[in-house]
């Protein structure tokens, strides 16, 4: 089957973007997993992550380029992942960690402000 040039360009472009998407999902997974657990649980988490990631990328390719799976699609996916990890990953991880730090600080401050009236209430009750 002969594919037009514009369709081939779209296939390559969306395959590269699928690689970038895989890199983003990998960084999100890396931050969420974050702590050491039992080895078997890590193996199960990794398998489930890659199954989810392959489903997401396949659906992405299905909607963008009718899921043409050819060798250069795999090559472009690999190049997209490599580009993401080499260039974008450090910046994305810094942004993620700063967002987590800001959100956790916000929740901590809100929790302290919400609990303050209860502390006063219980402190005055037990002080008598």
């Amino acid at each position: 089957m002969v594919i037009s040039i514009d369709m081939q360009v779209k296939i390559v472009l969306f395959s590269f973007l699928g690689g970038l998407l895989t890199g983003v999902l990998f960084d999100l997974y890396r931050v969420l997993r974050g702590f050491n657990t039992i080895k078997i649980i890590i193996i199960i988490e990794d398998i489930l992550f890659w199954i989810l990631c392959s489903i997401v990328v396949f659906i992405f390719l299905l909607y963008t380029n009718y899921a043409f799976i050819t060798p250069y699609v795999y090559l472009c996916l690999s190049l997209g992942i490599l580009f993401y990890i080499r260039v974008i990953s450090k910046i994305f991880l810094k942004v993620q960690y700063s967002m987590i730090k800001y959100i956790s600080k916000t929740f901590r401050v809100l929790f302290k402000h919400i609990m303050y009236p209860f502390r006063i209430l219980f402190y005055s009750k037990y002080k008598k």
Side-chain angles (χ1 to χ4, degrees), residues 10-22 25 52-69 73 77:
K10 287 179 184 178
I11 289 172
V12 169
L13 176 68
F14 288 125
S15 299
F16 187 79
L17 290 175
L20 293 177
L21 176 67
T22 304
L25 291 174
L52 173 72
C53 191
S54 62
I55 290 170
V56 168
V57 169
F58 180 74
I59 291 172
F60 175 74
L61 292 176
L62 182 66
Y63 281 117
T64 56
N65 65 3
Y66 310 111
F68 283 118
I69 305 297
V73 169
L77 279 169

Side-chain angles (χ1 to χ4, degrees), residues 7-122:
M7 187 63 180
Q8 289 181 18
V9 169
K10 287 179 184 178
I11 289 172
V12 169
L13 176 68
F14 288 125
S15 299
F16 187 79
L17 290 175
L20 293 177
L21 176 67
T22 304
V24 169
L25 291 174
F26 178 70
D27 274 347
L28 289 172
Y29 171 67
R30 189 165 45 167
V31 168
L32 289 176
R33 192 177 81 182
F35 55 89
N36 292 331
T37 59
I38 303 169
K39 192 77 163 172
I40 191 73
I41 293 176
I42 291 175
I43 292 170
I44 292 170
E45 287 175 345
D46 287 346
I47 290 171
L48 290 174
F49 166 73
W50 285 112
I51 289 171
L52 173 72
C53 191
S54 62
I55 290 170
V56 168
V57 169
F58 180 74
I59 291 172
F60 175 74
L61 292 176
L62 182 66
Y63 281 117
T64 56
N65 65 3
Y66 310 111
F68 283 118
I69 305 297
T70 57
Y72 63 87
V73 169
Y74 290 114
L75 177 68
C76 290
L77 279 169
S78 302
L79 288 175
I81 293 170
L82 183 67
F83 176 78
Y84 177 83
I85 288 175
R86 296 283 183 184
V87 177
I88 303 172
S89 181
K90 292 176 186 175
I91 299 166
F92 189 72
L93 283 175
K94 285 180 184 178
V95 169
Q96 268 186 314
Y97 284 127
S98 65
M99 284 177 53
I100 290 171
K101 184 178 175 183
Y102 177 75
I103 290 170
S104 65
K105 185 176 181 180
T106 303
F107 279 132
R108 192 174 61 239
V109 168
L110 281 174
F111 181 74
K112 285 187 176 190
H113 285 301
I114 290 170
M115 292 305 292
Y116 186 72
F118 295 109
R119 283 183 155 177
I120 292 174
L121 179 69
F122 289 124

